[in-house]
């Protein structure tokens, strides 16, 4: 049943590149809005002027769009005009709105000017630490008479901050995901600053003023915000607005159960993109970070995820990030790409390998195309193409002599085998250079010499590719072509046969 009264939002701070947690939160809001026929808006919380940049804005917006996440209200590109009935959707363009709201709270005595200096607050904190008490505002300015305020102002000579009065009691809400949560306001650290002395409004305040002004009905965000929600509820009440429904998504955890952090884990969406995770795979995986359709289906396109998404089925427990599953899912999506689309998407990764010297040249599309039948099903990521078949485009392949000699063999046997294999293959012309033509005579060679076919094939594999893991050997020889195969067998034979090199 479409419900146009549902309004949700993602409100990133452009103080870093798009984080996997932000992408997951954006996705769940988007899925919820699209599933119920509500509205999804994007708001930039850019009041931390020192750390916010236009580059991070661009990174966040581009990254979300790349994943297929679009919004109904907000900017569509960095620096773009905002669109929607509640514009502007960037907080630095809304300062007058926060000023009006804080003046209103002060006039109603729900907030008050606070003249405490950093030194005073520091001394309070130290005294509390020494007494093993949690940090809390002591209330020095909470109940000043007008003349006391004047005296404090004269004493500090600086404009006061604005502090919000935290009422005693319990604040509770029925969380969409975590059921009932109640927090005693004595645990909130006392009255808190909503506007700094220099006029900068702070996060707890701006987020509430905006969620109220933008008529947000459901605030769906990470579990790390649970401790902020009571402050927000108190502010909604003080401002006289309806309190939205809150839903807190499970944290994304490392496989060892610790919190995924910028320092310890790979958290930037860009880094996954650079590794060749494709949007279809990544967005499918992000949807499973804390949710599942309750069926066996794993590979789901975004429109089907929207159709199946059920916020009530979001898990309470932390969502462990499983790179193996991400790679598997990404591989499944790579297999589903049309050949030309895959070639287009591989090109930048091949170009990057040319740029950093891992391969010698960029293969033409008609060289990559014929490889797809063996390559496509083996790629966990796009970038893996270089490891898988990059050896095809290396001019002077350097083969490690230690690698080319199979475990059970010595260099002399290897040399003999490579020379014999080369001679057998040389008997083929380009017309019979086909996988099923090349295999039988080499098997026969192994049999006549009493070698294990696996050892012979491994020696040939390393000789022509430099690697022990490649696509199937005979497909690889076909892709290399007759001349390159013969030349590489010759030079590898020379490498193992020449003691000075070893
Ligand atoms: N700007 C906040 C953040 O990035 C928004 C939090 C919220 O959704 O309320 O964490």
């Amino acid at each position: 049943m479409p419900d146009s009264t549902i309004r949700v939002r993602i409100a990133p701070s452009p103080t870093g590149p798009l984080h996997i947690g932000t992408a997951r939160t954006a996705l769940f809001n988007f899925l919820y809005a699209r599933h119920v026929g509500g509205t999804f808006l994007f708001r930039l919380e850019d009041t931390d002027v020192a750390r916010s940049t236009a580059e991070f804005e661009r990174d966040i917006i581009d990254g979300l769009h790349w994943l297929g996440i679009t919004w109904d209200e907000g900017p569509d590109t960095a620096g773009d005009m905002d669109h929607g009935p509640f514009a502007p959707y960037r907080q630095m363009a809304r300062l007058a709105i926060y000023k009006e709201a804080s003046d209103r709270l002060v006039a109603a005595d729900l907030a008050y000017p606070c003249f405490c200096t950093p030194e005073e607050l520091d001394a309070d904190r130290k005294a509390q630490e020494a007494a093993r008490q949690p940090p809390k505002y002591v209330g020095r300015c909470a109940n000043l008479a007008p003349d006391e305020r004047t005296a404090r102002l004269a004493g500090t000579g600086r404009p006061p901050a604005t502090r919000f009065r935290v009422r005693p009691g319990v604040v509770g809400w029925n969380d969409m995901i975590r059921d009932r949560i109640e927090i005693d306001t004595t645990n909130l650290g006392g009255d808190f600053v909503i506007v700094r002395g220099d006029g900068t409004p702070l996060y707890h305040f701006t987020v509430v003023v905006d969620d109220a002004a933008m008529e947000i009905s459901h605030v769906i965000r990470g579990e790390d915000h649970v401790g902020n929600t009571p402050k927000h509820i108190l502010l909604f009440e003080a401002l006289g607005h309806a309190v939205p429904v809150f839903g807190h998504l499970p944290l994304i955890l490392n496989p060892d159960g610790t919190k995924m952090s910028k320092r310890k884990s790979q958290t930037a969406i860009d880094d996954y993109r650079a590794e060749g995770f494709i949007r279809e795979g990544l967005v499918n995986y992000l949807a499973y970070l804390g949710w599942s359709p309750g069926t066996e289906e794993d590979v789901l396109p975004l429109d089907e995820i929207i159709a199946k998404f059920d916020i009530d089925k979001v898990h309470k427990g932390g969502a462990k990030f499983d790179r193996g599953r991400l790679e598997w899912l990404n591989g499944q999506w790579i297999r589903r790409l049309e050949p030309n689309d895959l070639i287009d998407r591989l090109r930048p990764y091949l170009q990057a390998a040319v740029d950093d010297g891992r391969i010698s040249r960029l293969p033409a599309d008609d060289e990559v195309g014929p490889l797809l039948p063996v390559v496509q099903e083996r790629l966990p990521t796009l970038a893996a193409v270089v490891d898988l078949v990059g050896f095809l485009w290396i001019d002077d392949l350097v083969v490690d002599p230690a690698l080319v000699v199979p475990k059970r063999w010595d260099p002399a046997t290897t040399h003999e085998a490579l020379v014999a294999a080369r001679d057998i293959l040389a008997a083929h012309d380009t017309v019979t250079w086909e996988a099923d033509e090349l295999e039988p005579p080499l098997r026969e060679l192994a049999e006549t010499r009493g070698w294990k076919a696996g050892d012979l094939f491994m020696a040939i594999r390393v000789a022509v590719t430099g690697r022990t893991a490649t696509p199937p050997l005979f497909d690889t020889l076909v892709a290399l072509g007759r001349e390159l195969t013969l030349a590489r067998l010759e030079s590898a034979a020379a490498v193992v046969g020449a003691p000075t090199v070893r």
Side-chain angles (χ1 to χ4, degrees):
M1 197 30 90
D3 186 346
S4 59
T5 63
I6 289 182
R7 292 177 54 83
V8 294
R9 76 334 187 248
I10 181 74
S13 302
T15 53
L18 178 59
H19 186 279
I20 196 157
T22 309
R24 198 273 312 253
T25 302
L27 177 64
F28 279 36
N29 276 280
F30 166 84
L31 293 174
Y32 180 57
R34 294 291 176 262
H35 182 82
V36 299
T39 302
F40 174 48
L41 71 84
F42 178 100
R43 179 175 74 229
L44 277 167
E45 304 212 324
D46 56 352
T47 53
D48 184 347
V49 180
R51 291 169 58 228
S52 297
T53 71
E55 285 68 40
F56 290 143
E57 265 183 35
R58 190 166 306 124
D59 188 88
I60 292 168
I61 293 175
D62 288 354
L64 292 174
H65 283 342
W66 177 72
L67 286 167
I69 300 171
T70 52
W71 38 90
D72 311 299
E73 299 174 21
D76 275 339
T77 51
D80 180 20
M81 292 290 286
D82 294 347
H83 54 83
F86 300 96
Y89 293 90
R90 56 180 68 229
Q91 294 191 322
M92 284 308 283
R94 301 176 63 81
L95 295 179
I97 300 170
Y98 311 126
K99 172 88 174 68
E100 186 276 326
S102 71
D103 287 350
R104 204 147 53 81
L105 291 181
V106 172
D109 197 34
L110 295 165
Y112 55 86
C114 173
F115 304 91
C116 293
T117 62
E119 295 73 31
E120 285 171 323
L121 296 172
D122 214 38
D124 294 344
R125 197 176 42 78
K126 289 204 177 108
Q128 286 160 349
E129 256 171 35
R132 296 185 183 282
Q133 288 165 351
K136 183 170 189 150
Y137 179 61
V138 296
R140 191 178 294 107
C141 298
N143 297 301
L144 299 179
D147 57 332
E148 288 173 310
R149 282 187 183 166
T150 317
R152 288 278 279 159
L153 180 60
T156 61
R158 314 180 323 165
T162 307
R163 232 176 241 282
F164 177 71
R165 277 189 210 287
V166 172
R167 65 159 167 82
V170 168
V171 177
W173 71 96
N174 296 324
D175 198 275
M176 294 168 90
I177 295 152
R178 306 169 60 82
D179 307 329
R180 182 81 190 158
I181 301 182
E182 292 190 344
I183 296 180
D184 194 315
T185 63
T186 51
N187 298 323
L188 297 183
D191 298 347
F192 57 90
V193 174
I194 53 174
V195 182
R196 282 205 197 94
D198 66 4
T200 318
L202 294 183
Y203 160 69
H204 294 305
F205 188 53
T206 55
V207 77
V208 170
V209 171
D210 286 345
D211 283 341
M214 296 176 185
E215 297 178 4
I216 296 302
S217 62
H218 294 68
V219 172
I220 302 168
R221 57 187 176 188
E223 191 189 309
D224 45 335
H225 285 287
V226 165
N228 297 331
T229 298
K231 292 185 179 174
H232 298 179
I233 291 176
L234 292 175
L235 282 165
F236 276 107
E237 288 171 355
L239 288 164
H241 291 294
V243 178
V245 179
F246 287 92
H248 291 90
L249 303 172
L251 292 181
I252 304 177
L253 305 175
N254 290 313
D256 65 1
T258 55
K259 194 182 162 200
M260 226 184 172
S261 70
K262 258 185 251 173
R263 267 166 297 119
K264 277 200 315 201
S265 338
Q266 179 170 313
T267 57
I269 291 291
D270 274 349
D271 291 342
Y272 289 94
R273 198 171 166 177
E275 281 186 83
F277 287 97
I278 64 172
R279 68 174 80 94
E280 295 87 342
L282 198 52
V283 86
N284 192 166
Y285 183 71
L286 289 176
Y288 285 133
L289 278 178
W291 174 80
S292 63
T295 61
E296 295 294 295
E297 293 158 296
D298 278 316
V299 187
L300 283 180
L302 195 51
D303 55 349
E304 283 182 38
I305 297 175
I306 291 172
K308 289 181 199 289
F309 187 74
D310 180 355
I311 192 95
D312 294 334
K313 294 223 176 81
V314 172
H315 313 150
K316 291 188 181 61
K320 278 197 185 150
F321 191 87
D322 177 349
R323 178 150 179 133
R325 184 156 190 234
L326 169 60
E327 287 188 3
W328 178 83
L329 206 47
N330 198 60
Q332 296 299 312
W333 276 104
I334 289 178
R335 286 174 203 205
R336 284 166 168 73
L337 298 178
E338 292 296 326
N340 286 336
D341 185 14
L342 178 54
I343 293 173
D344 283 344
R345 297 203 206 197
L346 288 171
R347 200 177 299 111
Y349 295 88
L350 291 166
Q351 183 62 54
V354 175
D355 294 344
D356 64 21
R358 281 174 296 145
I359 60 176
S360 316
R361 66 184 177 84
L362 183 68
D365 292 356
D366 61 6
E367 289 177 88
V368 179
L371 298 173
L372 295 187
V374 284
V375 164
Q376 189 157 10
E377 65 188 44
R378 290 187 165 75
L379 289 177
T381 61
L382 297 172
V385 70
V386 180
D387 270 349
L388 195 61
V389 287
F391 57 81
L392 293 170
W393 308 299
I394 296 176
D395 287 344
D396 299 306
L397 184 75
V398 181
V399 173
D400 175 358
L403 212 58
V404 82
V405 178
K407 281 198 191 69
R408 284 182 291 252
W409 285 13
D410 55 22
T413 314
T414 311
H415 181 266
E416 184 190 336
L418 292 177
V419 172
R422 186 232 163 256
D423 291 345
I424 284 172
L425 292 172
H428 285 270
D429 58 21
T430 47
V431 178
T432 57
W433 198 260
E434 296 289 344
D436 48 6
E437 299 268 0
L438 302 181
E439 184 171 347
L442 288 176
R443 283 201 181 275
E444 207 183 300
L445 169 68
E447 212 165 297
T448 6
R449 302 291 177 101
W451 296 328
K452 284 205 161 54
D455 289 335
L456 174 64
F457 293 173
M458 184 53 82
I460 297 175
R461 181 191 308 277
V462 177
V464 300
T465 68
R467 320 178 57 90
T468 53
T470 66
L473 178 62
F474 299 97
D475 293 321
T476 302
L477 299 185
V478 172
L480 273 167
R482 182 175 183 276
E483 265 174 53
L484 208 49
T485 301
L486 299 183
R488 286 188 180 180
L489 284 170
E490 279 160 30
S491 62
V495 165
V496 278
T500 46
V501 181
R502 298 192 74 240

